[in-house]
Amino acid sequence: MSDYAAPVTDMLFAMTRVAGLDAVRALPGCEEATEELVAQILDEAGRFGADILAPLNRVGDVQGSRLENGAVRTPDGFPDAYARFVAGGWNAVPFDPDYGGQGLPWLVATAVSEIWNSANMAFALCPLLTQGAVELLSAHGSPELKATFLPRMVSGEWTGTMNLTEPQAGSDLSRVRTKAERKANHWRIGGQKIFITWGDHDVAENVIHMVLARTPGAPEGIKGISLFVVPKFVPGPDGKPGARNDLRPLSLEHKLGIHASPTAVMAFGENDGAIGYLIGEEHRGIEYMFTMMNNARLTVGLQGVAIAERAYQRARAYARDRVQGRAIGSDDPAAVPIERHPDVKRMLLFMKSRAEAGRLLALFAAAKLDMAKRHADAATRADQQALVDLLIPVVKGWCTDAGIAAADTGVQTHGGMGYIEETGAAQHLRDARIAAIYEGTNGIQALDLIGRKVGREAGRTVLAFAADMAKLTPKLAARHGEPDFAVIAARLDEALAALVEASRWAADAWTRDAPAAAASAMPYLRLLGTVTGGWLLAQAALEAAQCLDDNAKGDGRYPPDFLRSKIVCARFFADQDIVFARALSRVVMDGGGAIAGTETSLV
């Protein structure tokens, strides 16, 4: 039996009561996304995740992918699982029906993606990159490229990759050296890329690489980079995979975690040059690639949520079964399950609150993404896109840090058994650790947040968002006679004041003293993530209280224990996390002096 069960009830509650499924359903093209349909989709996804993907998680960790005679072999069961994934239409959920997609909102696709990543993060990385590549081609590809590649990439028959990093370049893409030279109706690509997730494998018939390269005479720096589609097998006139292209995996990285995900060093053009096709215009490659990167950053943030949930489920099950020590304050000498001990309760609530706050944050951002893409009013689309742009680095940075912390706490909850690989707790920590690094380290996300998303627009979006969040506190305080809500309202009100103060400082500092602002970028991201997560948990608690009122009238839909847990979770987060908002605000405004003032290497 699987040790993972998709939290479908929690997902539906988050989507319908907080993220705004009804508002998304009202958008053009989303009319079929009814609550009933979404519930069916999540139930089916949950079964697939629990029955097919989760049992392979340990298998993939132990076996890993391997390079044999120039070909990558994935662990036992992965090719069959991927074939079933494609046959089930799971890769096509959010995409254009003209290319075989189901046209469902990103809100739905995001919830489904959490299930894949909880069940088997290493497996889920393959569709994660494919979906980002589909987004990129849909936005910037020519009609010919779309016709050739999108139908099979939307279905998942062909998978996609992102080829940015090179040995000398790292995150500094201005140093990319891969070359592209025009040959008739295509280009010839030559160079080497590293850290290419699912760069080669045996689960699909073709791998479609999105490759950054320089064309002849291109200017130095980021403005001289172009973007190309480079297939493993060049499609023939019938659209099917044809001749093998001039590219190959040189090696696979030996990683801390996600062992089943083949992370390749890729060589392009060792002979005549790999055939590639230009996407859009020359020298706009970074601009186009950001479409794929932002898609991936949202889903990587979701990986933090997914691992937090999986680690929580494992720790909770262990804490219920493990009997040790008598209950504190009791005269009964009998041992009790460790979940009854206060510090274990604290750890479980810590993990639960991280998973639920992160889920709400990711789903809220996905709903805003749907509004930005589909709303009929252009001004509304622009406002929603600005909010998405603000939230993406927070989802990526805050949620992945939360996932690591939750997985680490999961190991601690198990005690000594958590340090033993066979329990599975350690794998979650090892797998989670990469999420804070790839798709732009969390430090880069924080710099993007404080610079591009706050500083360059003088804080307009974040201050408007804080004003919207502040509308909740009177509603919380209105729950008279309920002390949990009085505490949550007071804590949130204080935290929002701290966020506004720090945001105004950040907006001013970016124009006045950019190094000082950059030194405070990470605590600012933590502040915004903590306040937003607490605000969303408070909304969920308020909705849960309303549902409990409805239950008392005989028309409730959710189990009372489930609803009460929402209030407990929000109160825990208010007491244990939101209270640090004032301190984080002081760190943002005053804590960067030693960093910005350090001119020499530390000794």
Side-chain angles (χ1 to χ4, degrees):
M1 179 178 292
S2 171
D3 60 0
Y4 168 68
V8 172
T9 300
D10 195 76
M11 289 176 168
L12 283 171
F13 184 89
M15 295 168 76
T16 57
R17 306 291 302 206
V18 181
L21 178 60
D22 284 345
V24 170
R25 187 188 169 202
L27 296 171
C30 295
E31 297 83 2
E32 294 184 5
T34 64
E35 186 174 345
E36 293 73 21
L37 177 63
V38 172
Q40 292 173 10
I41 291 170
L42 293 180
D43 281 337
E44 288 298 320
R47 278 190 283 274
F48 189 89
D51 296 344
I52 306 301
L53 300 184
L56 296 177
N57 199 41
R58 173 71 174 163
V59 174
D61 186 54
V62 172
Q63 291 186 8
S65 288
R66 56 205 182 276
L67 182 61
E68 297 177 346
N69 300 318
V72 175
R73 307 298 180 196
T74 55
D76 294 345
F78 271 61
D80 178 66
Y82 189 78
R84 297 173 72 169
F85 178 84
V86 173
W90 291 115
N91 198 72
V93 168
F95 296 121
D96 189 342
D98 288 345
Y99 296 102
Q102 298 175 26
L104 289 165
W106 278 103
L107 176 60
V108 177
T110 300
V112 169
S113 184
E114 183 195 325
I115 294 173
W116 311 147
N117 281 283
S118 272
N120 195 323
M121 179 174 156
F123 177 97
L125 276 162
C126 184
L128 184 159
L129 271 299
T130 302
Q131 290 181 353
V134 169
E135 274 281 277
L136 190 159
L137 278 178
S138 297
H140 306 297
S142 66
E144 294 77 17
L145 288 180
K146 291 179 182 179
T148 300
F149 292 101
L150 281 183
R152 289 178 173 84
M153 294 182 72
V154 166
S155 71
E157 296 170 81
W158 296 357
T159 66
T161 74
M162 181 190 301
N163 285 251
L164 289 74
T165 307
E166 297 179 6
Q168 80 292 340
S171 298
D172 184 1
L173 298 178
S174 67
R175 298 179 181 273
V176 163
R177 295 177 184 168
T178 298
K179 300 296 184 183
E181 295 187 3
R182 187 187 293 275
K183 299 289 183 181
N185 65 339
H186 61 265
W187 295 74
R188 293 283 181 170
I189 313 298
Q192 187 180 112
K193 299 288 185 177
I194 63 172
F195 301 154
I196 308 307
T197 301
W198 283 85
D200 194 73
H201 55 79
D202 58 357
V203 306
E205 64 179 7
N206 208 354
V207 183
I208 312 303
H209 299 279
M210 305 292 149
V211 182
L212 291 178
R214 293 187 182 279
T215 56
E220 293 296 320
I222 289 178
K223 294 182 179 180
I225 298 175
S226 301
L227 182 60
F228 300 86
V229 179
V230 186
K232 177 179 178 179
F233 294 99
V234 179
D238 58 358
K240 296 180 180 179
R244 175 66 185 256
N245 209 350
D246 184 12
L247 57 90
R248 68 185 181 98
L250 295 178
S251 63
L252 297 183
E253 304 293 355
H254 302 282
K255 308 187 296 290
L256 177 68
I258 54 168
H259 295 150
S261 171
T263 304
V265 176
M266 296 296 302
F268 295 88
E270 290 182 312
N271 298 302
D272 297 328
I275 293 174
Y277 307 95
L278 180 68
I279 297 175
E281 302 173 11
E282 287 186 59
H283 309 155
R284 296 180 65 184
I286 296 295
E287 173 191 345
Y288 300 150
M289 185 61 89
F290 262 104
T291 300
M292 185 174 184
M293 291 170 67
N294 281 331
N295 180 290
R297 285 171 177 174
L298 174 61
T299 314
V300 168
L302 196 67
Q303 289 179 335
V305 179
I307 293 295
E309 174 66 33
R310 185 75 183 273
Y312 169 66
Q313 289 190 20
R314 189 180 295 278
R316 181 185 60 193
Y318 181 82
R320 288 174 176 174
D321 290 342
R322 175 64 167 159
V323 176
Q324 181 174 297
R326 70 181 187 182
I328 293 176
S330 172
D331 294 330
D332 187 346
V336 298
I338 64 171
E339 70 169 347
R340 291 181 57 185
H341 298 316
D343 193 57
V344 176
K345 288 183 183 179
R346 178 193 62 80
M347 288 190 288
L348 292 173
L349 277 168
F350 176 88
M351 299 171 74
K352 178 180 174 64
S353 66
R354 290 303 182 279
E356 293 193 9
R359 177 176 300 118
L360 288 164
L361 179 54
L363 293 174
F364 179 78
K368 297 303 179 183
L369 180 62
D370 284 319
M371 300 287 282
K373 287 178 174 292
R374 297 180 184 253
H375 200 281
D377 179 65
T380 300
R381 289 198 304 273
D383 287 343
Q384 296 298 295
Q385 186 61 55
L387 183 54
V388 170
D389 292 342
L390 178 77
L391 291 175
I392 288 293
V394 181
V395 173
K396 198 282 182 184
W398 192 86
C399 290
T400 55
D401 280 348
I404 294 167
D408 182 52
T409 303
V411 172
Q412 189 73 13
T413 305
H414 283 75
M417 294 304 295
Y419 208 64
I420 305 301
E421 286 288 354
E422 285 75 9
T423 65
Q427 182 187 347
H428 301 319
L429 179 57
R430 290 187 288 101
D431 286 350
R433 191 60 189 85
I434 185 59
I437 298 172
Y438 56 21
E439 296 311 324
T441 66
N442 286 359
I444 289 174
Q445 304 302 317
L447 190 60
D448 174 60
L449 172 66
I450 205 168
R452 290 190 180 94
K453 310 303 167 55
V454 175
R456 291 187 184 179
E457 62 163 44
R460 181 183 64 84
T461 299
V462 70
L463 292 173
F465 183 44
D468 280 343
M469 287 193 282
K471 296 174 183 176
L472 183 68
T473 53
K475 298 177 183 178
L476 296 167
R479 300 288 302 189
H480 299 297
E482 300 178 63
D484 286 330
F485 285 99
V487 171
I488 294 168
R491 300 278 191 269
L492 184 59
D493 193 52
E494 293 170 0
L496 285 166
L499 175 62
V500 167
E501 184 179 20
S503 297
R504 287 175 174 158
W505 177 90
D508 175 67
W510 185 256
T511 58
R512 176 176 44 81
D513 188 356
S520 296
M522 198 66 218
Y524 182 77
L525 185 148
R526 290 173 183 153
L527 172 62
L528 182 53
T530 299
V531 175
T532 306
W535 170 68
L536 289 165
L537 286 172
Q539 282 196 67
L542 195 60
E543 292 292 327
Q546 182 59 57
C547 288
L548 285 169
D549 294 343
D550 293 340
N551 282 358
K553 299 173 186 176
D555 57 353
R557 298 173 48 202
Y558 295 97
D561 286 348
F562 168 83
L563 296 170
R564 283 191 285 269
S565 76
K566 294 292 173 199
I567 300 172
V568 171
C569 195
R571 172 66 189 269
F572 175 86
F573 198 84
D575 286 341
Q576 301 267 339
D577 290 276
I578 294 180
V579 290
F580 288 106
R582 176 58 62 188
L584 281 170
S585 178
R586 296 315 312 173
V587 173
V588 170
M589 295 184 289
D590 300 335
I595 302 168
T598 301
E599 298 290 342
T600 59
S601 298
L602 298 176
V603 294

